[in-house]
Amino acid sequence: MQQPNEDRFRHRDLNWLSFNERVLQEATDKINPLYERIRFLAIFSSNLDEYFRVRVSQLRQMKRVKKSIRKKLALRPSKITKQIIEEVKEQQDRFGDIYHNEIIPELAANSIHILDADHFNSEHNDFISSFFQDKVEKHLKPIRLDLKKENELFLENSVLYFLVTFKNEDNLAVVNIPVEECGRFVSLKDEKDRHEITYLDEIIRYEANKIFPEDDITGIYEIKLSRDAELYIDDIYEGVLAEKIYTSLKQRTDGQPTRLLYDAGMPKEVQKKIRKLLKLGKIDMMPGGQYHNFKDFFSFPDPTNNKDLHYKELPALPHKVLENSENYFEEITKKDQSLHFPYMSFSYVEKFVAMAAEDEKVTDINISLYRVADESDLTNSLMKALENGKRVTVFVEAKARFDEKNNISWGRKFEEKGANVIYSYPKVKVHSKIMLICRQEGDINMRYAYIGTGNFNSETSEIYCDHAIFTADKNITKELSRLFKVLEGELIIPREKSLLISPFSTRQEFIKLIYNEIENAREGKKAKITAKMNSLEDGEMIDLLYKASQAGVEIRMLIRGFTCLIPGIKGLSENIYITSVVDRFLEHGRIYLFENGGDELMFYGSADWMNRNLDRRIEVISPVLDNDVKKEFKDILEIQLNDNVKARIQDAEESNRYVERKKGQKKIRSQYEIYKYLKEKHTS
């Protein structure tokens, strides 16, 4: 008998909070050096900001749907939003405890002191006064509000403000905290035995009487408004989608408010006033600490230069074959070559494009760009290829959230140089990480492919764990060539047999692979599915995994982010075991391994098991065909499956318990063990 939905599926937005809880756990883990724990607080804060701007804003939009339709579709936006607010409040309380009771004392123990305005003394006065006058005051935009009159108050998204109250209760004021222009942190004293740092906020607080000299200030409270990050674009209208998005970017700052974060010390009557001014509901009000935008702690200075307060360096490992090669085409023709970031340098990808740009035999370069770095060797090489007369086709994803402007800007630059630039299709994103280079070798038109799990971005490659393969396999490269023709509009479907390409075949092929394991289990054969992904949300795939579990298929999953599947429930998912690794680097790769009756089939690529990845995005999942590469991928996967230092169990209770190390068992911190494994493999 099929169980009701609420017993079979978690709500993705609630389980995402469980993922962010794992990030918060890292801020308390003493294995991590002090400044890295501070960085995890910044990540937690940054994640939460985007969550409110994107996910919570979508829940708010659902509330506009007619009640009868919501009921029919089992949409419960108000109930879910209330649960989110409750959980976030608890997490923010723990966040405050970590910051005040762990981070601040440990900084002080290392002679780093964060001072607030109450602790400024006569020694600080001259510096603060000069700094305020020379660097800060010109960037301030105070707004006075007379509550007896009609007021219109607009707060920019994610910008910090002070709400100032006066003895005259009919007056309020708002003043911006110009972090972008002045930086968030200011050094007050920098001596060997004592380093004093303060927030820009505290300098403005200290000098507030200079901003409002005629008023009697009674309170100063920090506030921050998060706005809807969605772009509402009507694809029915004519015009290039990229242009419409470009002109709509201002909606990022004008979007609907989704959360006002305010100092919990703000009196209730003042809360009511600001809520009325901003036309917010009670549910939009979120109490917080004295300071907001902890994501600014990404740039928190270390005046001690103490290496022990940071991760030890892990220099990028040389690739055994590619490191000293002057001709990647020859090496890739011999056999597939794999890369693993950030353990290896992204420069191998950049070098390949640079070779192609200068190689007289290369005729075409085709590439899909999802998140483009501001400027990189790769983009420079693509420009060089155009100068050298190569045909360059660039698919630019104009709808990559928060990167639209940069992506479209690069698209225009490529167009100006003569590239064939293709932008997004309505309602379809191109999320695949693919490149195809054509080379005329005598009478043969050879193709060389690159398929990865991560973006063509040298910056993110240093912190995202991703996998990639260079291959000259004829079937793979032929099918990739057809996919680029689909993107160019020359073909309707790619007609693939080796690759799994969304939205054409990925779902169907994964369903076949899972059913194959179910049949093998029913026949008494060993049946197992091992899958590593970022998130699991698709209802059909989850139901099929439940069916496989009930048939006796062993299912082992690594899911970094959220999962709507509930593991470990007797009679439903007792054969499904899920762990999540959150550590120094962001786990981003996708690997799928099927037992297949002893003849294992392995795949990797850009797609998670989410509805959008299977049905609404162009994704590429490739089989791992080279036996050496397959072993390398499997070894890496096994190391992660056995992590007993940074792995948490995703159980039915969402406990986020760390995997317990058995007595006598070796400590396995998978990211460091993978580094050791690759170092031995590629330097021996």
Side-chain angles (χ1 to χ4, degrees):
M1 181 178 172
Q2 195 174 52
Q3 298 182 2
N5 278 0
E6 56 266 29
D7 296 330
R8 291 166 43 247
F9 299 109
R10 289 187 176 121
H11 194 285
R12 58 169 287 173
D13 295 329
L14 294 174
N15 191 251
W16 182 92
L17 292 173
S18 186
F19 155 68
N20 217 29
E21 172 71 26
R22 294 192 284 278
V23 175
L24 198 56
Q25 286 177 334
E26 288 300 298
T28 68
D29 193 337
K30 297 294 180 70
I31 291 176
N32 299 321
L34 176 58
Y35 267 71
E36 307 306 334
R37 289 162 58 204
I38 292 172
R39 186 175 68 91
F40 277 111
L41 288 180
I43 293 169
F44 174 89
S45 178
S46 178
N47 285 349
L48 203 57
D49 276 352
E50 182 174 336
Y51 176 73
F52 270 89
R53 293 190 66 200
V54 178
R55 298 305 309 169
V56 176
S57 75
Q58 285 194 9
L59 287 169
R60 289 175 60 93
Q61 297 308 316
M62 286 182 196
K63 290 166 72 174
R64 295 184 177 184
V65 176
K66 286 183 180 179
K67 192 172 182 180
S68 59
I69 298 174
R70 293 204 310 263
K71 190 173 182 180
K72 186 177 181 181
L73 297 175
L75 298 175
R76 298 168 298 167
S78 296
K79 181 180 178 181
I80 298 300
T81 303
K82 286 176 183 176
Q83 289 178 262
I84 286 169
I85 298 301
E86 288 174 10
E87 180 61 30
V88 169
K89 283 179 180 176
E90 288 182 16
Q91 289 184 350
Q92 287 189 322
D93 286 344
R94 286 198 297 281
F95 183 103
D97 287 341
I98 294 165
Y99 175 70
H100 290 290
N101 300 325
E102 297 184 36
I103 301 300
I104 293 293
E106 288 188 44
L107 283 169
N110 285 278
S111 303
I112 303 168
H113 303 271
I114 300 179
L115 302 187
D116 58 30
D118 291 338
H119 292 87
F120 294 164
N121 56 37
S122 55
E123 293 180 14
H124 301 127
N125 281 343
D126 289 344
F127 171 81
I128 290 171
S129 180
S130 297
F131 186 87
F132 178 80
Q133 186 175 341
D134 298 341
K135 302 284 181 68
V136 181
E137 194 169 20
K138 60 189 173 185
H139 298 295
L140 298 179
K141 300 169 185 174
I143 302 170
R144 293 175 176 275
L145 301 161
D146 184 347
L147 300 182
K148 291 183 292 184
K149 300 177 181 177
E150 284 290 321
N151 292 282
E152 282 195 16
L153 177 61
F154 179 82
L155 301 183
E156 291 186 46
N157 174 68
S158 291
V159 171
L160 295 178
Y161 295 90
F162 276 135
L163 178 67
V164 185
T165 60
F166 305 104
K167 190 172 183 180
N168 182 348
E169 295 183 358
D170 289 328
N171 292 340
L172 284 178
V174 171
V175 60
N176 60 308
I177 302 173
V179 174
E180 193 170 327
E181 296 83 1
C182 304
R184 187 73 189 277
F185 303 103
V186 180
S187 176
L188 299 175
K189 186 176 184 180
D190 193 9
E191 297 178 359
K192 188 174 182 181
D193 60 342
R194 186 173 177 84
H195 307 277
E196 294 177 350
I197 297 169
T198 191
Y199 289 87
L200 174 66
D201 325 24
E202 291 301 304
I203 288 178
I204 297 171
R205 188 191 300 274
Y206 192 69
E207 298 289 328
N209 287 321
K210 292 181 181 178
I211 308 170
F212 306 103
E214 306 297 323
D215 302 279
D216 191 355
I217 296 172
T218 57
I220 302 176
Y221 310 98
E222 194 161 300
I223 58 174
K224 183 190 76 171
L225 189 69
S226 296
R227 290 185 176 275
D228 188 347
E230 290 299 303
L231 294 174
Y232 302 106
I233 297 170
D234 191 344
D235 292 328
I236 297 172
Y237 297 126
E238 294 180 359
V240 179
L241 181 63
E243 293 294 335
K244 288 192 281 185
I245 290 178
Y246 196 77
T247 56
S248 299
L249 283 170
K250 64 182 178 62
Q251 292 184 30
R252 280 284 154 78
T253 54
D254 296 354
Q256 180 182 354
T258 57
R259 174 181 66 154
L260 182 78
L261 193 60
Y262 64 92
D263 184 337
M266 183 186 292
K268 285 188 177 179
E269 60 271 19
V270 180
Q271 294 175 33
K272 289 178 183 177
K273 290 175 183 177
I274 188 65
R275 183 161 67 85
K276 186 177 178 181
L277 279 166
L278 294 171
K279 299 178 175 64
L280 301 174
K282 288 183 180 179
I283 202 167
D284 303 320
M285 302 287 287
M286 174 70 70
Q290 187 176 358
Y291 308 107
H292 311 318
N293 268 7
F294 263 79
K295 60 187 177 184
D296 291 334
F297 269 86
F298 282 122
S299 60
F300 185 68
D302 177 10
T304 68
N305 294 314
N306 183 352
K307 291 183 178 179
D308 292 337
L309 301 183
H310 305 267
Y311 286 133
K312 291 180 181 177
E313 284 190 33
L314 290 178
L317 297 169
H319 189 281
K320 194 169 189 176
V321 174
L322 301 179
E323 177 66 19
N324 298 310
S325 173
E326 294 302 319
N327 191 330
Y328 284 13
F329 299 107
E330 287 183 3
E331 303 298 347
I332 297 167
T333 301
K334 292 175 189 173
K335 71 188 310 297
D336 291 356
Q337 303 294 334
S338 59
L339 293 172
H340 307 280
F341 311 116
Y343 312 108
M344 296 171 175
S345 173
F346 188 74
S347 63
Y348 294 116
V349 181
E350 294 172 328
K351 189 176 178 181
F352 184 52
V353 180
M355 284 182 183
E358 299 290 353
D359 191 313
E360 292 181 358
K361 295 179 181 178
V362 169
T363 58
D364 297 78
I365 300 174
N366 304 274
I367 190 169
S368 67
L369 297 178
Y370 188 71
R371 297 194 190 277
V372 191
D374 288 343
E375 188 161 347
S376 68
D377 290 342
L378 186 143
T379 51
N380 291 338
S381 292
L382 290 173
M383 292 295 193
K384 188 67 178 177
L386 288 164
E387 290 174 12
N388 290 340
K390 316 293 184 190
R391 287 189 296 271
V392 176
T393 298
V394 182
F395 192 98
V396 174
E397 180 46 69
K399 295 175 292 182
R401 182 176 285 132
F402 303 120
D403 283 308
E404 299 94 346
K405 188 173 183 179
N406 190 51
N407 283 9
I408 294 169
S409 174
W410 269 107
R412 288 172 172 167
K413 290 177 185 177
F414 290 132
E415 282 180 312
E416 288 168 5
K417 286 283 187 177
N420 176 25
V421 178
I422 310 158
Y423 294 101
S424 314
Y425 298 112
K427 300 180 182 178
V428 177
K429 280 188 178 182
V430 176
H431 187 247
S432 53
K433 329 299 185 180
I434 53 175
M435 176 167 54
L436 185 72
I437 293 175
C438 300
R439 192 169 185 257
Q440 195 65 40
E441 300 176 7
D443 296 331
I444 302 172
N445 183 18
M446 281 290 292
R447 300 187 186 101
Y448 298 85
Y450 171 95
I451 300 174
T453 66
N455 300 310
F456 289 100
N457 190 311
S458 57
E459 295 173 11
T460 57
S461 72
E462 294 180 0
I463 53 174
Y464 284 27
C465 290
D466 277 304
H467 315 283
I469 296 176
F470 289 115
T471 184
D473 180 88
K474 290 181 180 179
N475 292 326
I476 298 292
T477 56
K478 184 179 181 181
E479 292 177 14
L480 211 56
S481 176
R482 288 206 292 259
L483 175 57
F484 274 105
K485 287 181 180 178
V486 169
L487 295 178
E488 291 182 70
E490 293 182 24
L491 292 177
I492 297 174
I493 55 173
R495 303 192 322 276
E496 68 277 19
K497 291 183 179 178
S498 298
L499 295 175
L500 283 60
I501 301 177
S502 300
F504 305 101
S505 63
T506 308
R507 179 185 293 279
Q508 294 88 335
E509 290 304 315
F510 274 131
I511 288 172
K512 287 179 187 176
L513 289 161
I514 295 171
Y515 267 117
N516 183 51
E517 297 302 320
I518 292 172
E519 290 303 314
N520 286 340
R522 287 172 176 166
E523 292 174 12
K525 299 176 184 177
K526 183 180 179 183
K528 185 175 182 181
I529 299 168
T530 307
K532 176 189 174 183
M533 64 192 79
N534 293 331
S535 301
L536 172 58
E537 171 242 17
D538 186 80
E540 185 178 13
M541 298 302 292
I542 291 171
D543 273 334
L544 200 50
L545 290 171
Y546 286 153
K547 190 171 184 178
S549 172
Q550 292 162 14
V553 179
E554 181 187 348
I555 301 170
R556 180 68 172 89
M557 307 188 83
L558 280 161
I559 302 176
R560 184 203 77 220
F562 69 82
T563 172
C564 297
L565 181 150
I566 308 173
I569 296 177
K570 191 172 182 180
L572 179 70
S573 57
E574 59 205 271
N575 290 317
I576 304 175
Y577 181 69
I578 304 175
T579 54
S580 174
V581 173
V582 176
D583 198 357
R584 175 173 181 166
F585 306 120
L586 181 85
E587 291 295 336
H588 191 251
R590 294 90 166 176
I591 302 175
Y592 303 94
L593 181 63
F594 298 87
E595 181 66 26
N596 191 39
D599 184 16
E600 291 180 331
L601 297 173
M602 177 180 280
F603 301 84
Y604 81 106
S606 60
D608 294 318
W609 282 351
M610 294 180 66
N611 181 269
R612 68 185 187 190
N613 300 111
L614 299 173
D615 297 335
R616 298 195 307 278
R617 290 185 171 188
I618 302 290
E619 306 273 9
V620 174
I621 296 286
S622 174
V624 182
L625 301 175
D626 184 289
N627 287 331
D628 294 333
V629 173
K630 191 174 180 180
K631 183 181 185 307
E632 186 172 274
F633 270 58
K634 189 176 178 183
D635 288 346
I636 289 171
L637 191 59
E638 284 294 327
I639 291 170
Q640 289 197 308
L641 293 170
N642 290 301
D643 191 305
N644 55 22
V645 176
K646 289 294 185 179
R648 278 75 140 187
I649 300 169
Q650 293 210 41
D651 53 23
E653 294 76 31
E654 300 185 79
S655 64
N656 275 332
R657 288 182 295 114
Y658 283 86
V659 171
E660 288 186 24
R661 184 162 53 94
K662 296 175 184 176
K663 191 174 181 180
Q665 189 180 30
K666 173 189 170 185
K667 279 187 179 180
I668 301 173
R669 186 175 179 180
S670 58
Q671 292 184 352
Y672 287 81
E673 291 300 321
I674 290 167
Y675 184 85
K676 290 177 189 174
Y677 167 83
L678 290 171
K679 185 175 183 179
E680 183 177 326
K681 184 174 177 63
H682 284 266
T683 58
S684 60

